[in-house]
Amino acid sequence: MIVNMQCSITLKNLDLDDKEARRKIEDALPDFRFNVFAPPVVPLRGFPRMIGSSEYGHASLRLGDTFAHLIMQYDENYQDDWNKCFDYAHKRIGELREALQSVEATFQFGGIVIQYVMDDFPEPVTTLSESVSKVSVGERKLTHLQIKFSFPYRENYYINVEMEPVQNEATSANALGITIDVNNRLAKQRSDAPRVVDWEDLVKIEEILSGIKSSTLHQLVEKGEFAI
């Protein structure tokens, strides 16, 4: 099941001291109710100037002069339906993109993260050690195992995957947690052909993630293969 999805964006040229800019953002995001905060006396990196949440609390948004962070939480009506989760995320991310474009904010970097929990594997440490990492500690019992890997994708993007045992908050049962992060930081790091990034990168990140299905993750856990 998908627990949540998050979209993080690094920005330039967003001036939240401008009342007109704040009004445009609020008008572009009518489902959100915002609180606005004055800037701190001492500048703090990552300090939010606007914090909002949707009517039923399924989406929350933090905005600062250099960032936007959107979190979409899924309840039992969505968690097991991959398509519904992605449709909701697509809607919210699209609204955010349009809101920021309306105030001429410049996109720098962006990433979307999925947090997924698999209840199919009640012994997640054993599953990971036998099928993914091939770790052995002899006759001793392996009590925790965390696996991380990253790779470039389509020349401009990174895909980062993290796997570790978690506890299902609803049932308290052991489960396997998988976090997938797709971002466009590789575009700026390429020394051979650095390029200007723009809002279209965020659209492409969504497209990459839409190619990942529940079956993709089962293949990863059962065979150690991440095919995308």
Side-chain angles (χ1 to χ4, degrees):
M1 65 179 179
I2 298 179
V3 178
N4 66 54
M5 293 179 67
Q6 303 180 36
C7 176
S8 297
I9 303 170
T10 302
L11 301 162
K12 286 180 67 177
N13 304 323
L14 178 59
D15 182 8
L16 293 177
D17 284 327
D18 184 343
K19 291 182 180 180
E20 181 63 15
R22 296 200 304 267
R23 183 193 64 78
K24 286 183 177 181
I25 290 172
E26 290 179 332
D27 288 348
L29 299 170
D31 289 348
F32 286 78
R33 298 294 177 267
F34 285 97
N35 291 316
V36 178
F37 301 91
V41 176
V42 178
L44 296 174
R45 184 178 181 182
F47 182 84
R49 299 294 308 282
M50 298 177 70
I51 297 178
S53 60
S54 59
E55 182 177 1
Y56 296 105
H58 293 127
S60 59
L61 175 63
R62 295 163 62 89
L63 287 172
D65 290 331
T66 59
F67 71 91
H69 187 207
L70 173 68
I71 301 176
M72 293 146 287
Q73 302 279 1
Y74 298 112
D75 59 22
E76 63 276 5
N77 297 314
Y78 276 69
Q79 289 177 336
D80 293 321
D81 191 320
W82 199 272
N83 290 330
K84 285 175 69 174
C85 289
F86 270 86
D87 287 346
Y88 182 77
H90 178 72
K91 173 179 181 290
R92 291 301 188 193
I93 293 170
E95 291 170 345
L96 174 60
R97 184 177 66 250
E98 291 177 4
L100 294 171
Q101 286 178 302
S102 74
V103 294
E104 300 182 355
T106 303
F107 178 86
Q108 292 288 288
F109 300 107
I112 301 175
V113 175
I114 303 175
Q115 291 191 327
Y116 190 78
V117 172
M118 304 178 78
D119 292 318
D120 314 51
F121 305 99
E123 297 292 338
V125 174
T126 301
T127 299
L128 289 177
S129 64
E130 291 180 350
S131 64
V132 182
S133 70
K134 308 299 182 184
V135 170
S136 173
V137 291
E139 296 180 356
R140 300 174 182 84
K141 182 179 180 180
L142 193 65
T143 57
H144 186 77
L145 180 60
Q146 183 180 49
I147 297 172
K148 295 182 180 181
F149 61 90
S150 304
F151 59 94
Y153 188 76
R154 293 183 185 172
E155 298 184 340
N156 298 312
Y157 305 94
Y158 278 119
I159 296 180
N160 307 301
V161 180
E162 181 176 336
M163 311 166 68
E164 65 178 331
V166 296
Q167 195 171 61
N168 186 321
E169 293 184 0
T171 64
S172 297
N174 291 333
L176 179 60
I178 302 179
T179 301
I180 303 172
D181 166 27
V182 180
N183 63 69
N184 73 322
R185 290 194 173 273
L186 183 59
K188 282 285 190 178
Q189 294 175 1
R190 291 176 57 200
S191 57
D192 58 330
R195 67 177 183 83
V196 175
V197 298
D198 57 30
W199 287 102
E200 189 63 23
D201 274 21
L202 193 60
V203 176
K204 291 178 180 177
I205 289 170
E206 283 192 75
E207 291 175 356
I208 293 169
L209 277 171
S210 68
I212 300 172
K213 305 295 182 184
S214 176
S215 57
T216 309
L217 302 186
H218 274 82
Q219 184 176 359
L220 170 63
V221 174
E222 294 167 357
K223 299 181 179 180
E225 300 173 1
F226 189 70
I228 179 173

